[in-house]
Amino acid sequence: MRNHKILRNKWKKIRRKRLRQKKASEREELYVKQEQNLLNSPTYQKWLKSHEEIEEFEQKENERNALVLYNEWIEREYAATREWELLQNKLNKIKQDKARKDLLIKLEWEKEQKKIKEIEENKKKEMQLQEEINAKFIEKIEMYINGIGPLPESLNVSTNTRPDQPLCPFFSKVAACRFRDNCSRNHVRPGISNTLLIPGFYKNFELNMRYEREFDIDISLECDEKEAYEKFYDFFEDILVELKNYGQIIELNVCRNQEIHLLGNVYVQYRSRRHSLKAYRNLCGRYYGGRKITAEFCNIPSWSEAVCGLYFKNMCPKGKNCNYLHLYKNPGGRYQSKPQRNRNDSSQCYRENKNFCKLKQEHEENSEINNKRNSSKREKRLKNEKSSTLKWDNTPDRKNKNSVSYNWSSDDD
């Protein structure tokens, strides 16, 4: 039973296959007939010819376009190759120029390095020669200070600020001028002398009261004459011990002027130039009270002409603006010559005081005649002023005071 079903299924399958083949053959015959009919029809023939012509035209047009594009591509490639070659040539030229410039720069740099080395070698040689010259010069100075050799000629050379102008009267007398090196007159500075000037050496609260009248303040009440001299005596005894180590002192003066170019100046006159040179060598570059010391040589032809003698009499008409030396009185009058002012003195300060006294006398005579009351008041005021002014003899005694020592130090400290 089972075998019968299998056979039956196979037979059905074969029958279906035959039917399909039959239908396929019939369909093919139909297609062949239709194609034959189309081939025999004139319209179809025309359509085929037109279609073939169109395809041929499209093929030719495509070939022509392809040829045009190919030619354009070849032209672009040729232009690109030429541009690339030009660019490469430019780059090669730039590289060659750069290599040439680098070579020139290298050669110039080598030349400059050689020049720099030569200059440095020359400088070293000059420095060595200068050091040898300086060492010899210092040896000569040391020999002169120790009394073994003569004075070096290069030291004894004075300098002029304006050689074609006349001498400055104030600088030639006090070795200081309010205009400094900007003065229109000539300032002559000696190469070496027996007098040393230490500008701005002495500092005190009293000397800083320069503008008390300008600002209308009572700074002078903070420091009286007695305190000022106590501080000055401490300073004098302290510097005297150091300055005497370098030689015999003839004159030692400390300025009390409140002008900038004379403020705190200290003048030291030794007996010989050898002593002053020794002091100059040891003082310059050191520190006193935290301030660096600078010294210079100066010429003071006459102390009587440099010092304002009217200041000791409290009669200086210029007061703080005087360009002559207003000095502290040294304790016991040591190392200080007394100023001498005669009637025949032709100094400017004396003439101004003389004119001032004449005007004052005329004014007093006129005021006494015009108004007796004012004259009596003026006499009382003058008496009060005389009683209030301190004399030099009333200055404090230095012997009973303990000296305040300031620190002397060298550059190494």
Side-chain angles (χ1 to χ4, degrees), residues 33-46:
K33 287 180 180 180
Q34 288 177 358
E35 286 179 1
Q36 190 68 31
N37 294 327
L38 288 172
L39 291 172
N40 293 324
S41 66
T43 56
Y44 182 72
Q45 292 294 328
K46 289 181 182 179

Side-chain angles (χ1 to χ4, degrees), residues 308 310-311 313-320 322 326 349 353:
C308 178
L310 299 173
Y311 173 73
K313 300 177 183 178
N314 294 328
M315 296 174 63
C316 181
K318 288 193 173 182
K320 297 178 181 180
C322 185
H326 293 183
C349 190
N353 185 67

Side-chain angles (χ1 to χ4, degrees), residues 340-357:
Q340 297 177 0
R341 294 287 179 185
N342 300 324
R343 291 183 179 179
N344 296 327
D345 194 353
S346 61
S347 65
Q348 184 180 359
C349 190
Y350 179 77
R351 290 197 304 270
E352 290 178 357
N353 185 67
K354 190 175 180 180
N355 296 330
F356 176 75
C357 292

Side-chain angles (χ1 to χ4, degrees), residues 2 21 54 69 72 99 102 104 127 131 143 169 174 194 232 236 254 312 357:
R2 186 175 179 184
Q21 288 176 355
I54 289 167
L69 292 172
E72 289 178 356
D102 292 339
L104 292 173
M127 290 288 289
E131 287 177 358
M143 290 172 67
V174 300
N194 61 345
F232 167 68
F236 180 83
V254 180
F312 289 99
C357 292

Side-chain angles (χ1 to χ4, degrees), residues 120-140:
E120 288 179 354
E121 290 176 357
N122 293 330
K123 283 183 178 180
K124 287 181 181 178
K125 290 179 181 179
E126 290 177 359
M127 290 288 289
Q128 290 176 358
L129 291 173
Q130 191 65 33
E131 287 177 358
E132 291 176 359
I133 292 168
N134 292 336
K136 291 179 181 179
F137 182 68
I138 291 170
E139 286 179 2
K140 290 180 181 179

Side-chain angles (χ1 to χ4, degrees), residues 38-39 41-57:
L38 288 172
L39 291 172
S41 66
T43 56
Y44 182 72
Q45 292 294 328
K46 289 181 182 179
W47 179 81
L48 284 176
K49 285 182 181 179
S50 64
H51 187 69
E52 288 176 357
E53 288 176 358
I54 289 167
E55 286 181 353
E56 187 178 356
F57 176 76

Side-chain angles (χ1 to χ4, degrees), residues 159-169 171-172 180-188:
T159 58
N160 300 301
T161 55
R162 300 179 186 272
D164 55 341
Q165 298 295 328
L167 293 175
C168 179
F171 190 86
S172 59
R180 309 294 174 91
D181 290 338
N182 296 324
C183 183
S184 59
R185 302 295 182 90
N186 186 20
H187 294 176
V188 181

